[in-house]
């Protein structure tokens, strides 16, 4: 999540994504990949007080239980109906993806005109679950959570579509896609051979390799209040053709139930978020560890780095 700092701020600074993997060959044998050490995207200043260093197991123990239902304060955009024909797609009758010309805008939290308007009268922490906006074909819900007496959180959530049930009820849907990687090079599962008969094994492999992405999608669907999370399994039409893709199957979940399946705890997520004061959470670029710094004044250099990372 991208945060717009006012009274309370939590910024997650990730290491720079650029790193190189050098492959060496000797006598026809492929040696292990060598990873170069990575530098942090933000340098810890001398006047920042390092409060604590936390590894991942400690973060997993944090909890905040007293989260009331959110208040919907603004609604913008429009939605299309989900095409249920995709629910009948299998590897034997795959459906080709079609390119549709749409206008996309990158709108960060600070540039969002709705958040700028809301910030004048309410809220002291503002977040956007996604900075990419597609004109006219998504619904944005601005929702407000009160986290105790001191944190007034407003989040721009989003729905991807609507779906009509058997009794005519309308449900909001979040639609995401998993992309197949060539199984010959990653010890994975060939989707065309296993997806129909062993979908659980395919999903388990994706959870192993992309646990953060699936957790983020699930968390976003829960925060938005979507009734369903749709996952599409997408692969290249041919392994050497990067321009054509097909849908090999879909899967539907209720976000809260799927969160339980993947061990995603919203109480833990709220517990990590709710910190009093102004802090900078730094990820060690080479270790599974977080560093918590108390910052007397968030320097403009931080936001310059964040903006450069977004632009790149």
């Amino acid at each position: 999540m991208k945060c717009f700092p006012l009274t309370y701020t939590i910024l997650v600074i990730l290491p720079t994504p650029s790193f190189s993997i050098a492959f060496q060959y000797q006598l026809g044998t492929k040696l292990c990949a060598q990873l170069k050490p990575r530098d942090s995207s933000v340098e810890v200043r001398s006047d920042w007080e390092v409060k604590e260093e936390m590894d991942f197991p400690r973060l997993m123990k944090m909890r905040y239980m007293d989260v009331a239902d959110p208040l919907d304060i603004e609604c913008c955009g429009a939605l299309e109906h989900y095409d249920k024909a995709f629910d009948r797609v299998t590897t034997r009758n795959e459906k080709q993806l079609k390119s549709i010309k749409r206008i996309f805008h990158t709108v960060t939290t600070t540039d969002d005109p709705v958040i700028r308007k809301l910030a004048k009268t309410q809220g002291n922490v503002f977040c956007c679950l996604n900075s990419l906006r597609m004109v006219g074909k998504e619904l944005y819900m601005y929702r407000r959570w009160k986290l105790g007496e001191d944190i007034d959180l407003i989040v721009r959530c989003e729905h991807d579509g609507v779906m009509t049930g058997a009794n005519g009820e309308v449900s909001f849907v979040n639609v995401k896609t998993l992309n197949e990687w060539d199984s010959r090079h990653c010890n994975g599962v060939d989707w065309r051979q296993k997806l129909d008969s062993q979908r659980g094994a395919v999903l388990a492999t994706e959870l192993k390799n992309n646990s953060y992405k699936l957790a983020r999608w699930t968390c976003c669907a829960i925060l938005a209040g979507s009734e369903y999370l749709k996952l599409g399994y997408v692969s290249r039409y041919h392994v050497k053709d990067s321009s054509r893709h097909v849908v090999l199957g879909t899967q539907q979940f209720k976000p809260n139930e799927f969160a339980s399946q993947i061990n995603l705890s919203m109480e833990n997520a709220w517990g990590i978020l709710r910190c009093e004061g102004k802090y900078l959470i730094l990820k060690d670029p080479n270790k599974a560890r977080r560093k918590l710094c108390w910052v007397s004044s968030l320097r403009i250099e931080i936001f310059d780095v964040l903006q450069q990372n977004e632009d790149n």
Side-chain angles (χ1 to χ4, degrees):
M1 294 192 297
K2 297 178 174 62
C3 296
F4 172 44
L6 286 178
T7 304
Y8 299 91
T9 305
I10 296 177
L11 295 175
V12 179
I13 310 299
L14 298 178
T16 54
S18 59
F19 62 92
S20 62
I21 301 178
F23 291 96
Q24 299 180 0
Y25 292 84
Q26 186 176 12
L27 299 177
T29 302
K30 183 178 179 181
L31 302 180
C32 296
Q34 303 295 320
L35 292 178
K36 292 178 62 177
R38 293 181 286 179
D39 297 327
S40 176
S41 58
V42 174
E43 179 184 357
V44 178
R45 308 295 187 185
S46 58
D47 59 335
W48 293 358
E49 181 182 351
V50 179
K51 288 290 187 180
E52 200 167 0
E53 290 189 358
M54 296 177 289
D55 54 14
F56 284 118
R58 287 190 60 191
L59 288 175
M60 294 298 293
K61 296 178 181 179
M62 302 180 72
R63 293 288 186 274
Y64 184 70
M65 312 293 291
D66 301 325
V67 181
D69 292 336
L71 175 66
D72 294 334
I73 56 178
E74 197 80 30
C75 179
C76 305
L79 289 174
E80 292 182 348
H81 281 267
Y82 172 77
D83 186 354
K84 293 185 178 180
F86 282 97
D87 292 341
R88 298 186 291 273
V89 171
T90 67
T91 57
R92 295 183 297 275
N93 64 333
E94 58 191 35
K95 190 175 182 67
Q96 185 169 348
L97 283 180
K98 297 180 180 179
S99 177
I100 300 176
K101 292 184 178 180
R102 297 279 171 85
I103 301 175
F104 292 87
H105 292 293
T106 301
V107 183
T108 62
T109 311
T110 52
D111 294 332
D112 190 312
V114 177
I115 285 184
R116 285 183 174 272
K117 180 187 71 173
L118 295 173
K120 297 177 181 179
T121 58
Q122 53 190 312
N124 54 28
V125 177
F126 299 85
C127 300
C128 291
L129 300 184
N130 194 339
S131 62
L132 188 66
R133 302 181 67 176
M134 183 168 61
V135 174
K137 297 304 176 183
E138 286 199 292
L139 185 67
Y140 296 92
M141 303 289 293
Y142 293 82
R143 316 189 84 190
R144 181 181 182 183
W145 282 266
K146 291 286 290 184
L147 305 181
E149 297 296 328
D150 47 6
I151 297 182
D152 190 2
L153 173 67
I154 294 178
V155 182
R156 186 183 77 200
C157 308
E158 63 184 47
H159 301 291
D160 297 318
V162 292
M163 188 170 60
T164 305
N167 299 320
E169 69 277 10
V170 176
S171 302
F172 289 118
V173 184
N174 251 260
V175 182
K176 308 299 178 187
T177 60
L178 295 167
N179 299 320
E180 183 181 25
W181 180 256
D182 193 339
S183 59
R184 296 173 300 176
H185 301 295
C186 63
N187 296 321
V189 179
D190 189 323
W191 288 6
R192 283 180 169 83
Q193 294 183 9
K194 302 294 184 181
L195 187 60
D196 290 342
S197 59
Q198 300 181 29
R199 186 158 301 183
V202 174
L203 182 59
T205 302
E206 290 301 306
L207 283 169
K208 177 182 177 182
N209 297 332
N210 299 292
S211 59
Y212 166 73
K213 179 167 66 177
L214 285 160
R216 177 167 56 87
W217 289 347
T218 307
C219 184
C220 289
I222 292 174
L223 293 177
S226 296
E227 283 84 359
Y228 296 102
L229 172 63
K230 291 274 190 179
L231 296 181
Y233 294 88
V234 175
S235 181
R236 290 185 178 184
Y237 179 78
H238 188 275
V239 67
K240 294 184 178 180
D241 186 356
S242 62
S243 62
R244 301 171 63 191
H245 293 78
V246 294
V247 180
L248 300 178
T250 61
Q251 203 164 1
Q252 175 178 292
F253 302 93
K254 291 185 177 180
N256 282 299
E257 294 178 0
F258 189 57
S260 299
Q261 293 181 33
I262 64 176
N263 295 321
L264 170 64
S265 168
M266 291 303 296
E267 291 82 7
N268 176 232
W270 288 118
I272 295 174
L273 173 65
R274 193 188 182 284
C275 295
E276 298 182 4
K278 292 184 178 181
Y279 297 94
L280 186 65
I281 300 179
L282 292 169
K283 181 186 182 299
D284 190 305
N286 300 294
K287 299 178 182 178
R289 182 175 60 189
R290 294 287 191 271
K291 183 178 293 185
L292 183 66
C293 301
W294 181 83
V295 186
S296 58
S297 61
L298 290 174
R299 298 175 181 272
I300 191 65
E301 292 93 336
I302 297 175
F303 300 102
D304 289 341
V305 172
L306 287 175
Q307 189 61 51
Q308 291 172 9
N309 289 345
E310 287 183 359
D311 294 341
N312 293 331

